[in-house]
Amino acid sequence: MKKVLTAASLMSLILFTGCSTHQELKPVVENYADIVLATYQDALSDAEALDKAVNEFVENPSPATLDSTKKAWLNARETYGKTEAFRFYGGPIDDEDGPEGQLNAWPLDESYIDYVEASPTGEGESVGTNIINSPDEFPEITKEMIASLNEQGSETNVSSGYHAVEFLLWGQDLSKGPGGGERPYTDYVTGPEGTHDHQERRATYLTETTELITDDLQMLVNEWKKGEDNYRAFFASEEQINTSIGRILNGIGKLSKGELAGERMFVSWDLRSKEDEHSCFSDNTHRDIVVNALGIQNVILGEYKRTNGTVVSGPSVLDVIEDENEALAEELKETVTQSVELTQEIEPPFDQQILSQDGRQQIMDTINSLRRQGDLIAEAAAILGYNVDPDAI
Amino acid sequence: MEKTSKLSLVFLILLFVAGFILGYSSGWFDPLSEYRVEGEQYSGGESTVFNESVNAFGEAAPNLTGNKDLFFVTGNAFFKRNWVTPPASTADLDGLGPLFNARSCSSCHLLDGRGSPPRSIDEEPVDLLFRLSRPSKEGNGTRPDENYGGQFNHMSVLGVEPEGDVRVRYEEIPGEYPDGTKYSLRKPIYEFDSLAYGDFPDDIMISPRIAQHLVGLGLLEAIPEERLKEVADSADADNDGISGRINYVYDHINGKMSAGRFGWKANEPSVRQQTAVAFREDIGITSEHFPEELCAENQKGCKEFPSGGNPELTSDILDRLTLYTETIAVPARRNWDQEDVLKGKKAFIEIGCASCHVPQQKTGIHPNHPELSNQTIYPYTDLLLHDMGPGLADGRPDWKATGTEWRTPPLWGIGLIETVSGHTFFLHDGRARNLEEAILWHGGEAESAKDNFKELPKTERENLITFLNSL
């Protein structure tokens, strides 16, 4: 086993000294890290805007403030979705203490958080207990408590992150056809006009969960800042450069094939199941798919257009692949462009498209393109001496 | 010397060399050649994968046809997803509990690997569960307890009391090889406290079970029952001290008694039934085969809790999960023809391990997956029940299995457990800290094989472990 490993690492070394040197790879890794940092910074400022909107809403709940808060949530998802291309290699987002589960886990254990209807037709309230409506058991709702509940036991009750905020804004999806949740703003109104009990506790859960999101994103930004003693310093260090190229490819390969094409799209397609989708309360799943695909494209091309319009760009893994095999690089570039276009053509809402014949065909074409993209990334990685298993997530 | 004699000398030498080469390649001079079986590295036949990574147990059989590789993805997704408290918007994942041990399959079979017992007294068991029962003359020889049912559930949804806590501590038992090398085995002791539904009755039987790794289950399912009967020797007619027995259990899907193959006591006849049972007992999810929630007779709060659908697990998802667990590929062997591995294999066979851990099997026809049919596989099991002696006994009968009998577990993949699951805890309750301790716990019918192992010189013992790690 050791012999095999040594042979494999020697092989990759030979391959590398043959084509790309450290001097050539360093800018690729640095540019990648710049893109990661910029994307997390944008995700953080969108989450801060969401936090602000949430606070305004709970201060003054009205249809208008609820609506603007929902818009802020949808906007925050646009940048966060792109950061998912930085997952799956044990970086700060998903190493052992990484906040991925706390930020974005799914499916949400909604009736653990707040009231739900006891039957899918919406008749009668849940007889179960939940955090918001159990002041005796959970006297004070704080972000620390939410974080600790999310880790209760050795596995998690998913009760935090973007989808928890989504649930608290939209409410459970009881619609049979198109349409998401329809939580009334009065769930946050205290006094006679208020609906459902414990409005203040609900408001606190909402503001604390949102704050937890900004805390986690701030941590990620800190880990990727340049010139500090952080993960980036390790990632871009001389000893890690080669391995980091492998990490970059692993992240986008697995997001393309296993996660996005497989878990997030094929499973819903296969089961025609209305709520096997990510953003089920808001019906925003079609955008989750697009921004994931864009995130992968950003990494491949080494270019990210920030929310404020400025562009971060530089040498990319595509250049490294091109040095080895021009045709493969070209094919990968085309496939990535095609995948993004296909994701953009999926009509909302996703949960209805998986039921219609045309929608199913379009979604399947997209799945196939993303799967092919994952295989091409694995092929390119193999040529460069890395082992990427794009099915494994 | 004359020219001709010189030439004939050269000729003789050449003949000798050629003869040696021929002889060597035919195995005349190679004492290990009979153990070098070309093809045995393909543990799972044509459904073998070459993967030694942390994902070694996570690949689909590479020879799957049609859309099965995609259905495998769906199965894998539901294997990993957390089930949620009913009622929920995510209808497919609705129905956790009310009482449960885990929220997902993968919380115990992480990366389709093997569970580990708690590492310290303060830790709650997660991948280790406890069957509870009382003696009965009916059915499988046990009945559920009125207050706790058939399994101890230390977790619950909000609003329902979990059954209690359990802690494990260990007692060291020192031992010694005939050559004077010392060893120590640890015996688990379980302490139940905070019991929410009353004290355990005196005649309660508690059987610990750890989560097993999940490769090649469809292949085991495809071994013909006739073959199991051939190997079985319940009265030990051949006097070798080994009396493998088939456990006949109730097949809920086909409504008849069948040969049990899966589970630590071979108490489940098929992957589909095993999957449906685990869903109900471990996660609290009902299915078409087991439509009733598992609440004990006296657990009122549990019985009144809302359900997540009737049944909670749709048959489509059960189909995908069954396909998934049936078609997880077996990883190929590593270093299979290395000298120390072959020596270890020789010892393994010579000291009697292979009587129960039968190396090779041939599959018949798999009803759903022709890809798994007619394969020569190397699972290292006879799938039969054997008396393992009082040291390992759980004292709890299960259909035909007595309180001292266990099913021979397959050994394929065990050398990769450390890579995938990050530990080397073995046996039904994870008491063995490594393969050597697992061997030393063998008793009953395996007593003589164990004694033979202890008699081996140290290097031979090490070779045997090296061999096991190549599986």
Side-chain angles (χ1 to χ4, degrees), chain B residues 81-202:
Chain B
R81 281 182 189 174
N82 274 3
W83 291 73
V84 297
T85 316
S89 301
T90 52
D92 280 346
L93 293 159
D94 186 5
L96 175 70
L99 291 160
F100 59 95
N101 294 90
R103 291 186 180 84
S104 68
C105 307
S106 67
S107 74
C108 298
H109 303 276
L110 187 63
L111 298 167
D112 308 293
R114 191 185 177 81
S116 83
R119 315 266 174 133
S120 76
I121 184 100
D122 311 318
E123 212 179 302
E124 276 273 290
V126 178
D127 323 334
L128 176 69
L129 56 79
F130 300 87
R131 293 278 157 76
L132 301 175
S133 44
R134 313 273 295 277
S136 163
K137 291 200 162 52
E138 309 287 308
N140 61 357
T142 63
R143 66 185 168 88
D145 181 68
E146 290 84 351
N147 296 326
Y148 290 92
Q151 186 162 310
F152 189 70
N153 300 122
H154 67 285
M155 297 176 100
S156 64
V157 297
L158 279 183
V160 174
E161 279 282 297
E163 292 182 334
D165 297 328
V166 55
R167 305 278 177 229
V168 53
R169 61 187 175 84
Y170 293 96
E171 195 180 283
E172 292 290 331
I173 306 170
E176 195 178 311
Y177 286 100
D179 68 9
T181 310
K182 295 203 170 13
Y183 61 79
S184 179
L185 300 177
R186 53 171 203 172
K187 184 182 168 219
I189 295 156
Y190 303 106
E191 284 160 3
F192 292 82
D193 56 53
S194 314
L195 290 173
Y197 299 87
D199 290 339
F200 281 161
D202 292 338

